[in-house]
Amino acid sequence: METKKQQPTQKPRSKGVSAMIVVIGCAIVAHLFFYLVAGAPSNFDEKGHPLNANILGTLFQGGFVIPIVITLLLTVLVLSVERFFALNRASGKGNTAKFVMNAKAKLEAGDIAGASKLCDEQKGSVANILKAGLIRYSDVEKIADIHNDEKAAMIQKEIEEATTLELPYLQQNLSVIATISTLGTLMGLFGTVLGMIKSFGAMGQEGAPDSTALAVGISEALMNTAMGIGTGACAIISYSYFSGKVEDITNAVDEVGFAIGQTYTTLHGGLSK
């Protein structure tokens, strides 16, 4: 008869920072910056044109799309900082690769208590998952009359369940960053098109083209292009970096999960007595 599973004595996993709250906060900051800082009268001359080499005044001429793109850029930066600290916590206190190597050595030696102690010292997602497998390891040893390869499968299932609980935390907000990698570029392109429409409108007037309107339209187009490309590039870099870290953690989980299953099969060959 199967014994009741012991529950790992670990604190509930934090859900992390909500992307919606981050987006709203960044939108407020972006619009305040755009209208109060970039749009300040000190950035323009008496005719309303940006002062020579004044970046903020030129940015303000980019139009209403600019604060939207700034919102996306700030969101990427904030979520990147959040993921940096979150994934560092998930990696644990020490080097993950060294922890996996030491844990595998303990398992191969049959030192389950030593492996459990390593988990308590390391903490983090990999240690939490391995600890759940070790607790299940102790449980299945008390089950009689089933093959040990079945017990190893039960341990593996426990590790998979623990991984399922940890994985959403590791991947949280990465989908938002991935979306912004495309959306930022598209919003920049949208602003570029609006600026070009204004430019062609100024050139299409009868008589001499309105040079001021033409310059404003070109400025709006170029500022939106630059901001959109920059935002998309930052999002792609951030997503690639943190996806790689998540993959490293999941690979470590697979490695220790396989090791604990193999250890049980090796140390408990044959039919349970």
Side-chain angles (χ1 to χ4, degrees):
M1 181 176 179
E2 183 173 338
T3 59
K4 183 178 180 180
K5 288 196 299 183
Q6 302 176 36
Q7 295 300 322
T9 56
Q10 63 187 64
K11 296 181 180 179
R13 171 62 70 189
S14 169
K15 293 183 178 179
V17 178
S18 170
M20 182 59 67
I21 294 176
V22 171
V23 171
I24 293 174
C26 290
I28 294 173
V29 172
H31 282 79
L32 289 175
F33 170 80
F34 182 75
Y35 290 106
L36 299 182
V37 179
S42 58
N43 296 323
F44 304 91
D45 59 22
E46 61 278 0
K47 296 182 179 180
H49 301 154
L51 298 175
N52 186 34
N54 188 293
I55 297 177
L56 293 177
T58 305
L59 183 68
F60 187 77
Q61 281 194 322
F64 72 92
V65 178
I66 290 294
I68 299 176
V69 179
I70 294 177
T71 298
L72 298 176
L73 177 60
L74 291 177
T75 300
V76 170
L77 296 178
V78 172
L79 291 182
S80 295
V81 172
E82 185 270 337
R83 284 293 86 195
F84 176 80
F85 287 106
L87 292 179
N88 276 348
R89 288 195 302 270
S91 297
K93 293 185 176 181
N95 182 273
T96 302
K98 185 177 180 180
F99 165 72
V100 171
M101 182 178 64
N102 292 336
K104 287 179 65 179
K106 294 287 186 182
L107 291 171
E108 289 171 0
D111 186 4
I112 304 304
S116 181
K117 184 179 179 181
L118 284 177
C119 293
D120 293 335
E121 294 173 351
Q122 174 73 11
K123 301 187 184 299
S125 294
V126 179
N128 289 343
I129 293 169
L130 178 57
K131 186 64 180 288
L134 293 174
I135 291 175
R136 191 59 172 152
Y137 188 109
S138 300
D139 289 340
V140 299
E141 285 188 312
K142 303 172 185 177
I143 305 174
D145 301 327
I146 64 172
H147 285 282
N148 285 308
D149 55 356
E150 295 180 55
K151 294 182 179 181
M154 293 167 65
I155 296 172
Q156 189 64 40
K157 182 180 179 182
E158 182 68 21
I159 291 175
E160 291 173 357
E161 290 176 355
T163 303
T164 301
L165 293 176
E166 291 283 345
L167 199 56
Y169 171 75
L170 298 177
Q171 296 178 332
Q172 184 179 6
N173 294 331
L174 289 184
S175 60
V176 177
I177 296 176
T179 300
I180 292 176
S181 67
T182 301
L183 185 59
T185 305
L186 290 177
M187 289 305 300
L189 180 60
F190 176 63
T192 300
V193 172
L194 294 180
M196 294 307 296
I197 290 174
K198 290 182 180 179
S199 298
F200 284 113
M203 294 176 62
Q205 294 180 357
E206 294 183 3
D210 186 341
S211 59
T212 300
L214 178 61
V216 169
I218 294 175
S219 176
E220 178 176 342
L222 294 179
M223 287 304 301
N224 279 281
T225 300
M227 290 294 295
I229 292 175
T231 299
C234 288
I236 291 172
I237 294 171
S238 175
Y239 179 78
S240 299
Y241 174 75
F242 292 114
S243 292
K245 293 200 70 172
V246 171
E247 185 175 356
D248 290 342
I249 293 175
T250 54
N251 288 340
V253 169
D254 291 340
E255 192 171 351
V256 295
F258 178 77
I260 190 173
Q262 287 295 103
T263 297
Y264 193 93
T265 302
T266 302
L267 298 180
H268 301 79
L271 181 69
S272 300
K273 301 293 185 181

